[in-house]
Amino acid sequence: MRTPFLMLAACCVAQFAMAQHDDSLTIRRFSNEVLDHSTAYENLRVLTKTIGGRLAGSPQMVKAEKWGEAALKAAGADKVYTQECKVPHWVRGEKEQARIISNRRDFVPPLNILALGNSVGTGPKGVTAPVLEIHSFEELEQKKDQVKGKIVFYNYPFNKKFVKTFYSYGDAVRFRGAGPSRASKYGAVAVIVRSMSHSTDNHPHTGSTRYNDSFPKIAAVAIGLQDADRLSKRIANDPSAKVFLRTTCQMLPDTIGHNVIGELKGSEFPDEYITVGGHLDSWDVCEGAHDDGAGCVQSIEILRAFKAAGIRPKRTLRVVLFANEENGVRGGAKYAELAKANNEKHLFALESDAGGFTPRGFIMEMKPEQRARIKSWLPLFLPYGLYDFDEPGGGVDITPLHNQLGTPMAELSPDSQRYFDYHHAVSDTFEAVNKRELELGAVGMGALVYLVDKYGL
Amino acid sequence: MRTPFLMLAACCVAQFAMAQHDDSLTIRRFSNEVLDHSTAYENLRVLTKTIGGRLAGSPQMVKAEKWGEAALKAAGADKVYTQECKVPHWVRGEKEQARIISNRRDFVPPLNILALGNSVGTGPKGVTAPVLEIHSFEELEQKKDQVKGKIVFYNYPFNKKFVKTFYSYGDAVRFRGAGPSRASKYGAVAVIVRSMSHSTDNHPHTGSTRYNDSFPKIAAVAIGLQDADRLSKRIANDPSAKVFLRTTCQMLPDTIGHNVIGELKGSEFPDEYITVGGHLDSWDVCEGAHDDGAGCVQSIEILRAFKAAGIRPKRTLRVVLFANEENGVRGGAKYAELAKANNEKHLFALESDAGGFTPRGFIMEMKPEQRARIKSWLPLFLPYGLYDFDEPGGGVDITPLHNQLGTPMAELSPDSQRYFDYHHAVSDTFEAVNKRELELGAVGMGALVYLVDKYGL
């Protein structure tokens, strides 16, 4: 009894080892193609330097969609098309103004701020009010009687102790999201939020806020870290200090945007899909290089390099450049809606939206046995520096697909140390992206797509 | 028989788990101290911005030594002292000149070059000669009859396919080291070497060359990548093209340098040493931020944060800022010489000299059982992103100690993608270092020192 079993086992092990050897050679071929001939960096340069910031509804977004179609065709997609969707149309208006007003009449430089996305303006005359500094929602509740007529200043610092910076972001971002309406509830006239960053510079970091319709909508801005510290000191030492704030942003009626899609047709199961994508929109104030030009050009690169390296997927590979992640996720919602309406079979979805830095692994949202299968491929990823497959999570744009169809999803998890230095700030430029780091992200993503396509999930 | 064994085993496992739990808490305390209160980044700013490039023998090196003593005292060292050593005294002289000379008389911008460290000058009149482009030493041998009177141009590209860039460096650096004398053997009048980098800019990257005394010493320079490509095209298309080269560098008589050392006295075995260090010197043309200001300030930070977090090592912790790594390794040699002469017991030596980037693990040179012991601590390192403990290697400055006393050694292995963008080039500045990446390197190093001190090797 034992010998045949052992022989079978030995046979299986040998087959597994041989398969892994074949896979490692294929992945190496793909990696060599990307590292030697990638067009991702040049694509990113064109997107960021010739188009720039591209918020939903902006003329730049229209240009970016055209660019995306052209880039997907140039990469060798069998089919390139778009999916129309309604998108919110928020405009920043004139350059924001903020300064400390004081009886002391000393010279005080202006405060470096940016209106939060989707926020209302102060009106053309601005608001001037005393400032109430708040460090937690509990403190806000305790001081609710002091809020009326004030500008509430959420000065909650990014926690430096987390090694993975997305935990610091998750910890702090509630003040940007819910802070304005929670302050408005008690009569605040505007809100200033300390930027979600531990950068050493003074750039404010914008991002969406979400109003609660039960309370008046009030103006809301992000402030740079150095100026947050300066403001905090000033109001502590100068009882006469007020802040003047002026923003003219507004939400216009919805307009039209598009997901831009390129396909590489599957050789065996053309009606089964693997989605790989990033989001094409970015905040208006930056080039959107890490967020998320990187994810777009990496996804396009996978298609290009698969073809160049002679890797023909069994399932259809869909590269999706999603519309409107930043202030609506309408592109991701539309993609899931159409997938469901068309009864499409989606094997797997992968996003890159955490920066174009050296990859370290994937966060994943899927059944335990699917995660275990992916983790069994670890030896194939280690030569490329990907080792971290344990954390939950998935991309914002593919979450609707995951929720609607149950599609297993993953997101590239790059080194996170620098991400929030640039995130939603003017410093998110092409120059902040390193060519090889960007390319290695595409290598890691492509390897995962190749293995999922070959072995299923 | 089995029950007692199982009980013993269970007991051991439980003890091991408890010890790991204690260690994980201690390491977390240390990490929190570094990420919240590190002085490493500010130390690096002072070293790079107020002192700058500091080659052995330069006035800046003397300032850097004073800075190092003060920084070690400020960090709380029990004892700060120096070790004197002889160091080479190479000076670059006037700004290097290089240009293409051609009968075509079109405008050709100058070539961006830097003399190689330890190289001789061309003399004040410079040399003008036709250029012979070479891609391998085999090709040089095949073309040895064409070498006489020429400038040999080693145009060997950095191999992009290696994921870890130090392999690309190891592959290419032989042309910088041995190239000049191998060309001189056949009558070359000077050498131009393609910079060891895959950067996207045009900065030349200097570094030491090593003459073979059997052949005449000829001038040798590094050239930026864009200009290397431009030169290659020009000589292929323009038979009249020559290059004019002028360098006035020279090697002066040896002078005096110092290793700068700070100690935290061991509580149980004060006569046993753990060495942690980086090298204090840098190339003259840059701020030496990644190479190796980072390693110096990380090593100092370990001492500071051990004290601040209440970690008193059992062995004496020696932080060593080594003299003259770049063009002589005389500081490392002196350190080993004195350790041997004084019959010191060295448990372990650790260096950081691969850039202040996010740590990924350690390269190590030690007995297999010592490596296995360190690898058994992997679960304690994973939360900080260190997973890679498999590769051989060790720091240049601690290699003499390893060779003379057999001391097990390791070097921090940070993310390597950006390192050769900056290495030995003007772009190696403070701004290229990220505060958190630098600090996480110190966290990883400190964790290793703590564990080696506690459990031995």
Side-chain angles (χ1 to χ4, degrees):
Chain A
M1 278 297 282
R2 290 196 75 167
T3 313
F5 172 76
L6 276 177
M7 274 175 68
L8 189 68
C11 214
C12 282
V13 168
Q15 271 196 333
F16 180 71
M18 266 177 61
Q20 286 233 333
H21 181 65
D22 283 353
D23 291 335
S24 93
L25 292 179
T26 304
I27 293 170
R28 176 62 63 186
R29 200 167 79 239
F30 172 72
S31 170
N32 286 349
E33 173 60 34
V34 173
L35 292 174
D36 252 358
H37 306 298
S38 167
T39 58
Y41 192 65
E42 174 61 11
N43 272 341
L44 186 65
R45 189 192 64 75
V46 173
L47 176 64
T48 56
K49 290 298 181 191
T50 71
I51 298 174
R54 45 197 181 277
L55 196 60
S58 68
Q60 290 85 349
M61 188 66 221
V62 178
K63 284 188 198 171
E65 290 172 0
K66 297 286 174 221
W67 166 87
E69 290 185 75
L72 282 162
K73 278 176 196 158
D78 300 324
K79 186 178 160 191
V80 176
Y81 58 102
T82 62
Q83 289 177 337
E84 186 178 307
C85 58
K86 287 277 178 66
V87 292
H89 190 187
W90 180 81
V91 291
R92 184 170 301 276
E94 296 165 44
K95 175 85 192 99
E96 299 88 337
Q97 293 177 38
R99 56 179 183 272
I100 296 170
I101 310 273
S102 157
N103 292 345
R104 288 191 192 163
R105 299 187 174 201
D106 53 338
F107 172 72
V108 187
L111 297 167
N112 201 2
I113 61 156
L114 279 176
L116 295 186
N118 294 354
S119 71
V120 300
T122 57
K125 291 188 179 167
V127 294
T128 303
V131 175
L132 179 66
E133 181 171 333
I134 292 291
H135 305 90
S136 68
F137 285 134
E138 294 69 34
E139 188 184 358
L140 179 74
E141 295 302 319
Q142 286 158 13
K143 296 185 175 169
K144 63 185 176 187
D145 297 337
Q146 302 171 42
V147 171
K148 195 172 162 60
K150 302 262 178 63
I151 293 172
V152 166
F153 170 31
Y154 291 108
N155 194 18
Y156 183 80
F158 224 48
N159 189 330
K160 296 180 191 173
K161 298 189 187 80
F162 290 114
V163 173
K164 293 180 176 177
T165 61
F166 281 87
Y167 287 99
S168 312
Y169 184 64
D171 174 53
V173 74
R174 58 205 148 118
F175 296 100
R176 194 188 77 205
S181 284
R182 292 191 66 157
S184 169
K185 179 180 176 186
Y186 298 125
V189 295
V191 157
I192 299 173
V193 186
R194 185 184 179 91
S195 288
M196 272 96 244
S197 175
H198 35 42
S199 69
T200 54
D201 59 40
N202 193 34
H203 300 310
H205 296 241
T206 189
S208 285
T209 191
R210 292 185 314 278
Y211 290 119
N212 178 334
D213 289 336
S214 310
F215 310 107
K217 291 177 181 172
I218 57 175
V221 303
I223 187 169
L225 302 196
Q226 292 169 14
D227 280 356
D229 293 340
R230 182 159 65 89
L231 176 60
S232 176
K233 266 187 204 155
R234 184 66 182 232
I235 58 176
N237 298 330
D238 178 358
S240 76
K242 298 181 179 182
V243 160
F244 167 76
L245 210 61
R246 183 179 185 274
T247 64
T248 60
C249 40
Q250 54 181 316
M251 186 64 88
L252 304 174
D254 279 1
T255 182
I256 298 297
H258 300 86
N259 295 326
V260 180
I261 300 176
E263 289 185 357
L264 196 58
K265 199 170 179 179
S267 59
E268 285 185 41
F269 314 106
D271 294 336
E272 294 183 18
Y273 297 99
I274 293 177
T275 299
V276 181
H279 63 85
L280 192 51
D281 64 313
S282 82
W283 285 103
D284 53 332
V285 293
C286 60
E287 293 176 3
H290 279 293
D291 186 14
D292 182 26
C296 292
V297 301
Q298 286 170 326
S299 301
I300 295 168
E301 176 63 13
I302 291 166
L303 193 155
R304 188 203 68 78
F306 267 25
K307 284 197 82 163
I311 300 170
R312 184 87 205 177
K314 295 194 280 185
R315 279 89 175 182
T316 292
L317 175 67
R318 256 204 206 153
V319 175
V320 185
L321 315 181
F322 290 96
N324 177 230
E325 189 267 353
E326 292 296 358
N327 63 334
V329 202
R330 303 276 187 88
K334 175 59 73 176
Y335 185 71
E337 179 195 318
L338 290 175
K340 193 169 187 182
N342 297 331
N343 207 19
E344 289 173 358
K345 187 169 178 193
H346 283 262
L347 180 69
F348 178 56
L350 173 62
E351 184 160 2
S352 166
D353 184 22
F357 303 96
T358 317
R360 286 183 162 257
F362 297 96
I363 57 172
M364 302 192 273
E365 206 68 57
M366 54 186 62
K367 293 178 189 151
E369 61 270 25
Q370 293 170 327
R371 180 183 290 270
R373 167 160 280 202
I374 288 179
K375 284 185 73 170
S376 76
W377 299 327
L378 181 66
L380 294 164
F381 285 101
L382 277 175
Y384 305 92
L386 290 91
Y387 66 96
D388 188 357
F389 294 76
D390 284 318
E391 304 230 3
V396 169
D397 297 291
I398 55 178
T399 294
L401 187 75
H402 172 76
N403 290 342
Q404 298 249 353
L405 274 71
T407 308
M409 68 169 175
E411 184 178 11
L412 185 69
S413 180
D415 196 292
S416 72
Q417 299 312 318
R418 295 182 187 224
Y419 188 62
F420 292 99
D421 289 356
Y422 309 124
H423 181 248
H424 298 181
V426 67
S427 47
D428 182 6
T429 60
F430 176 67
E431 289 77 8
V433 177
N434 178 275
K435 183 172 186 287
R436 283 180 57 85
E437 294 183 0
L438 179 76
E439 290 167 353
L440 283 169
V443 169
M445 293 167 70
L448 182 56
V449 167
Y450 163 75
L451 292 166
V452 168
D453 175 67
K454 182 166 174 185
Y455 297 109
L457 259 189
Chain B
M1 281 295 283
R2 289 196 79 167
T3 313
F5 172 75
L6 276 177
M7 275 174 65
L8 188 69
C11 213
C12 281
V13 167
Q15 272 196 333
F16 179 71
M18 267 176 58
Q20 286 233 333
H21 181 65
D22 283 352
D23 291 335
S24 94
L25 292 179
T26 304
I27 292 169
R28 176 61 64 184
R29 200 166 79 239
F30 172 71
S31 171
N32 287 348
E33 172 60 33
V34 173
L35 293 175
D36 253 356
H37 307 298
S38 167
T39 58
Y41 191 65
E42 173 60 12
N43 272 342
L44 186 66
R45 189 192 64 75
V46 174
L47 176 63
T48 56
K49 290 297 181 191
T50 71
I51 298 173
R54 45 197 182 277
L55 195 59
S58 68
Q60 290 86 347
M61 188 65 221
V62 178
K63 284 189 198 172
E65 290 172 0
K66 297 285 173 219
W67 167 87
E69 290 184 75
L72 281 162
K73 279 176 194 156
D78 301 324
K79 184 178 161 191
V80 175
Y81 58 101
T82 61
Q83 289 177 337
E84 185 176 308
C85 58
K86 287 277 178 67
V87 291
H89 190 188
W90 180 81
V91 291
R92 186 170 300 277
E94 296 165 44
K95 175 86 192 98
E96 299 88 337
Q97 293 177 39
R99 56 179 182 271
I100 296 169
I101 311 272
S102 157
N103 292 345
R104 289 191 191 164
R105 298 187 176 202
D106 53 339
F107 172 72
V108 188
L111 297 166
N112 201 2
I113 61 156
L114 280 175
L116 295 185
N118 296 352
S119 70
V120 300
T122 57
K125 291 187 179 168
V127 293
T128 302
V131 175
L132 178 66
E133 182 172 332
I134 292 291
H135 305 89
S136 68
F137 285 134
E138 294 69 35
E139 188 184 358
L140 180 75
E141 296 302 318
Q142 286 158 14
K143 296 185 175 170
K144 63 186 177 187
D145 297 338
Q146 302 171 42
V147 171
K148 195 174 164 58
K150 301 262 178 64
I151 294 173
V152 166
F153 170 30
Y154 291 107
N155 194 19
Y156 183 80
F158 224 48
N159 189 331
K160 296 180 190 175
K161 297 190 188 80
F162 290 114
V163 173
K164 294 180 176 177
T165 61
F166 281 86
Y167 287 99
S168 312
Y169 184 64
D171 174 53
V173 74
R174 59 205 146 118
F175 295 101
R176 192 187 80 205
S181 284
R182 292 191 65 158
S184 168
K185 179 181 176 186
Y186 299 125
V189 295
V191 158
I192 299 173
V193 185
R194 184 184 180 92
S195 287
M196 273 96 243
S197 175
H198 35 41
S199 70
T200 53
D201 59 41
N202 193 34
H203 300 309
H205 297 241
T206 187
S208 285
T209 191
R210 294 185 312 279
Y211 290 119
N212 179 333
D213 289 336
S214 310
F215 310 106
K217 291 178 180 171
I218 56 175
V221 303
I223 186 169
L225 302 197
Q226 292 169 15
D227 280 356
D229 292 341
R230 182 159 66 90
L231 176 59
S232 176
K233 266 187 203 153
R234 184 66 183 231
I235 58 178
N237 298 329
D238 178 358
S240 77
K242 297 182 180 182
V243 160
F244 167 76
L245 209 62
R246 181 179 187 274
T247 64
T248 60
C249 40
Q250 54 181 315
M251 187 64 89
L252 304 175
D254 279 0
T255 181
I256 298 296
H258 300 86
N259 295 326
V260 180
I261 300 176
E263 289 185 356
L264 196 58
K265 198 170 178 179
S267 59
E268 286 186 40
F269 313 107
D271 295 336
E272 294 183 18
Y273 297 98
I274 293 177
T275 299
V276 180
H279 63 83
L280 191 51
D281 63 315
S282 82
W283 284 104
D284 52 332
V285 293
C286 60
E287 293 176 5
H290 279 292
D291 188 12
D292 183 27
C296 291
V297 301
Q298 286 170 327
S299 301
I300 296 168
E301 176 63 14
I302 291 166
L303 193 155
R304 188 203 69 77
F306 267 25
K307 284 197 83 164
I311 301 169
R312 185 88 207 176
K314 295 194 280 186
R315 278 89 175 182
T316 292
L317 176 66
R318 255 203 206 153
V319 176
V320 185
L321 314 181
F322 290 97
N324 177 230
E325 189 267 353
E326 292 296 0
N327 64 334
V329 202
R330 302 275 186 90
K334 175 59 72 175
Y335 186 70
E337 178 195 319
L338 289 175
K340 192 167 187 184
N342 297 330
N343 206 19
E344 290 174 357
K345 188 169 178 193
H346 283 261
L347 180 68
F348 178 55
L350 173 62
E351 184 160 2
S352 167
D353 184 22
F357 303 96
T358 317
R360 286 182 163 257
F362 296 95
I363 57 173
M364 303 192 273
E365 206 67 56
M366 53 186 63
K367 292 177 189 150
E369 61 270 26
Q370 294 170 327
R371 180 184 290 270
R373 166 160 281 203
I374 288 179
K375 284 185 73 171
S376 75
W377 299 326
L378 180 66
L380 294 164
F381 285 101
L382 277 175
Y384 305 92
L386 290 91
Y387 66 96
D388 189 358
F389 293 78
D390 284 318
E391 305 229 4
V396 168
D397 297 291
I398 55 178
T399 295
L401 188 74
H402 172 77
N403 288 343
Q404 299 249 353
L405 274 70
T407 308
M409 67 170 175
E411 185 177 10
L412 184 69
S413 179
D415 196 290
S416 72
Q417 300 312 317
R418 295 182 187 226
Y419 188 62
F420 291 100
D421 288 357
Y422 308 125
H423 181 249
H424 299 180
V426 67
S427 48
D428 183 6
T429 62
F430 176 66
E431 290 77 7
V433 177
N434 177 274
K435 182 172 185 288
R436 284 181 56 86
E437 294 183 0
L438 178 77
E439 290 167 354
L440 282 170
V443 169
M445 292 168 71
L448 182 55
V449 167
Y450 162 75
L451 292 166
V452 169
D453 175 65
K454 183 167 174 183
Y455 297 109
L457 261 189

